[in-house]
Amino acid sequence: RKEVEQDPGPFNVPEGATVAFNCTYSNSASQSFFWYRQDCRKEPKLLMSVYSSGNEDGRFTAQLNRASQYISLLIRDSKLSDSATYLCVVNGKAAGNKLTFGGGTRVLVKP
Amino acid sequence: ETGVTQTPRHLVMGMTNKKSLKCEQHLGHNAMYWYKQSAKKPLELMFVYSLEERVENNSVPSRFSPECPNSSHLFLHLHTLQPEDSALYLCASSQDPAGTIYNEQFFGPGTRLTVL
């Protein structure tokens, strides 16, 4: 099992719709989680940090389910500019708090 | 300059060349990182410097040699690379020293390296 696993997508989303996708992680001792956004041929940019059960920032909501070892990202009222690859990142205590990146979920918002 | 900067942005080199990648962070952070991103693969951590000391070397071949002269600058020296080393090399920095859970990392724009 991969340490951090994501559905690569793409998720094709009509503009204005809601989309949600999950990220599963294998290390139950993981303590913090991050969602990054990466546009094509650009660097990852921090979207959200999750240290407890979840976080919300405008149209973006992250939910953490420790029992099932997954974290989700929900995007409401999708904009064309939300089209990107979303990287799930897990900070594993057992791994010396090293960040482990998932392969990313590609989201395409269409008019 | 703000954030994390990297130079050069693009680099083409032969297998016998020696080149260096430079990263500078203007955020007052305490830790800096080198990552490799190959096509269709997750980011791979290469090196970590925390408070100017190397704390992680993720089994990276010796043809990659990092240098951290101070908390704001990080270099990656390259020599006798292979074509499979072609990738996007990303530098990142974080406020907290590496090894804490509050490890929000901020990335530079990367150097796209092509090895011929």
Side-chain angles (χ1 to χ4, degrees):
Chain A
R1 183 181 176 184
K2 290 181 183 176
E3 287 188 68
V4 180
E5 201 148 6
Q6 294 184 251
D7 182 338
F11 284 64
N12 294 301
V13 185
E15 191 176 8
T18 296
V19 61
F21 41 89
N22 293 339
C23 163
T24 58
Y25 59 95
S26 61
N27 183 357
S28 60
S30 299
Q31 295 190 313
S32 53
F33 308 83
F34 308 91
W35 281 104
Y36 280 78
R37 170 204 171 118
Q38 186 170 27
D39 294 291
C40 188
R41 303 182 74 82
K42 296 284 186 71
E43 75 273 22
K45 293 186 177 175
L46 181 64
L47 181 66
M48 193 171 292
S49 306
V50 180
Y51 300 113
S52 56
S53 60
N55 198 359
E56 184 173 334
D57 183 4
R59 298 181 295 107
F60 297 84
T61 301
Q63 289 286 346
L64 174 62
N65 185 318
R66 288 191 185 274
S68 301
Q69 291 183 213
Y70 73 86
I71 183 166
S72 62
L73 182 66
L74 182 145
I75 307 174
R76 283 183 298 275
D77 188 22
S78 298
K79 312 290 184 192
L80 296 177
S81 57
D82 294 333
S83 297
T85 296
Y86 291 85
L87 305 177
C88 172
V89 187
V90 177
N91 195 356
K93 183 177 182 182
N97 285 314
K98 183 184 74 175
L99 294 190
T100 302
F101 285 74
T105 295
R106 191 164 172 225
V107 172
L108 296 174
V109 182
K110 300 187 175 181
Chain B
E1 292 275 22
T2 58
V4 181
T5 58
Q6 289 186 243
T7 55
R9 296 292 306 277
H10 299 272
L11 179 61
V12 179
M13 58 187 289
M15 290 191 286
T16 58
N17 292 158
K18 287 185 180 181
K19 296 286 184 184
S20 295
L21 310 185
K22 179 183 175 183
C23 174
E24 185 172 359
Q25 59 97 358
H26 309 267
L27 301 168
H29 285 174
N30 292 301
M32 296 185 77
Y33 311 79
W34 278 118
Y35 286 90
K36 175 183 178 182
Q37 188 173 33
S38 304
K40 301 193 185 297
K41 283 187 173 181
L43 267 77
E44 301 170 59
L45 179 65
M46 300 175 71
F47 299 103
V48 180
Y49 278 84
S50 183
L51 301 172
E52 300 167 41
E53 284 193 28
R54 189 193 303 185
V55 298
E56 179 103 24
N57 175 356
N58 249 16
S59 302
V60 179
S62 59
R63 57 186 183 270
F64 296 91
S65 174
E67 178 190 0
C68 186
N70 56 60
S71 60
S72 299
H73 294 86
L74 186 65
F75 294 89
L76 187 63
H77 303 298
L78 316 171
H79 65 97
T80 59
L81 295 191
Q82 304 297 311
E84 60 263 29
D85 296 322
S86 298
L88 180 67
Y89 288 84
L90 291 159
C91 172
S93 69
S94 64
Q95 172 67 50
D96 281 15
T100 71
I101 68 169
Y102 303 104
N103 198 1
E104 296 178 347
Q105 295 183 16
F106 296 86
F107 287 82
T111 295
R112 191 159 296 278
L113 173 67
T114 303
V115 181
L116 301 177

